[in-house]
Amino acid sequence: MFISRRQALVNTGISLAATTIAGCATYGKPPAAPAATPGTAATPNDAAVTVKAIASTADIPVGSGVIVDDLVITQPTKGRFNGFSAICTHAGCTVAEVVGASINCPCHGSSFNLDGSVANGPANRPLDAKDIVVQGDSIELA
């Protein structure tokens, strides 16, 4: 049987489209949970048991703060800690530094106060708050 070049190209295009659609069917879905290994059982509370401290209270200077991954942690007054997203509310850049009482974004010059409020624009809304808890001398995400 003879297939024309045109028909071969059409068939190839249909196959390619079907393969692409099949490959995209799982795009954006979370990966399947790993199976439990023999002798262990996963429980819904496992995540709560393995809470990891993101910082020590001693790491956060009074009247200033630090950036840990995508989180800004400040201590405006002794013993009072705040958590914020490190993503600037102006254009989505990551804030780069906390200098004294100023949280600074390198992209367009926005700066924020230790309570997350805008000190200098162009940002016009505060940093997004993140819930944190202090457990002893450890700071954890709530």
Side-chain angles (χ1 to χ4, degrees):
M1 175 176 183
F2 177 74
I3 298 177
S4 70
R5 187 164 79 174
R6 176 185 231 171
Q7 187 60 42
L9 289 172
V10 168
N11 289 348
T12 301
I14 291 171
S15 294
L16 181 60
T19 301
T20 301
I21 291 169
C24 292
T26 60
Y27 181 77
K29 293 182 181 176
T37 56
T40 63
T43 65
N45 294 329
D46 282 351
V49 173
T50 58
V51 172
K52 180 182 170 196
I54 52 176
S56 168
T57 55
D59 297 337
I60 317 300
V62 176
S64 192
V66 297
I67 300 170
V68 179
D69 297 326
D70 61 348
L71 185 70
V72 178
I73 305 170
T74 65
Q75 185 178 191
T77 58
K78 185 174 173 100
R80 182 170 163 239
F81 297 89
N82 299 318
F84 305 100
S85 169
I87 305 303
C88 179
T89 57
H90 170 246
C93 296
T94 302
V95 296
E97 61 185 0
V98 182
V99 177
S102 181
I103 304 165
N104 302 316
C105 180
C107 292
H108 302 106
S110 291
S111 64
F112 302 87
N113 298 309
L114 296 180
D115 65 357
S117 64
V118 176
N120 280 325
N124 59 11
R125 66 181 189 85
L127 292 172
D128 294 329
K130 295 286 185 175
D131 291 330
I132 58 172
V133 292
V134 177
Q135 298 287 336
D137 64 351
S138 295
I139 299 172
E140 303 166 355
L141 281 174

